């Protein structure tokens, strides 16, 4: 068995990549009120999901 599959490294790498993209939308939470902070993070998540739907994630193509 491959060590990366056993340790779950690939999944962890994908999560770290998503979190990096999430943070690029804004390093800090600007709102002071907790409910507004939650709304701000939900908006960031919705934006990131929309970008992903639009196809901003690269597609790997094998060249012969």
């Amino acid at each position: 068995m491959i060590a990366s599959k056993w340790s779950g490294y690939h999944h962890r790498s994908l999560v770290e990549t998503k979190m990096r993209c999430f943070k690029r939308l804004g390093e800090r939470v600007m709102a002071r009120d907790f409910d507004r902070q939650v709304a701000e993070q939900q908006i960031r998540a919705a934006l990131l999901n929309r970008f992903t739907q639009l196809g901003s994630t690269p597609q790997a193509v094998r060249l012969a």
Side-chain angles (χ1 to χ4, degrees):
M1 183 174 217
I2 299 175
S4 61
K5 284 193 180 228
W6 176 79
S7 67
Y9 181 78
H10 181 69
H11 179 70
R12 183 172 50 219
S13 175
L14 292 176
V15 171
E16 287 176 2
T17 302
K18 260 321 166 186
M19 286 306 298
R20 183 174 182 274
C21 293
F22 194 77
K23 287 181 178 181
R24 296 220 41 195
L25 293 175
E27 286 288 326
R28 299 180 337 142
V29 178
M30 302 302 288
R32 292 185 182 198
D33 182 48
F34 179 73
D35 292 332
R36 290 182 182 177
Q37 289 176 353
V38 171
E40 185 178 335
Q41 296 302 322
Q42 288 174 340
I43 290 169
R44 288 181 188 178
L47 280 171
L48 188 59
N49 289 337
R50 182 67 178 145
F51 288 149
T52 303
Q53 283 178 348
L54 291 173
S56 62
T57 53
Q59 296 287 327
V61 178
R62 183 175 181 218
L63 300 175

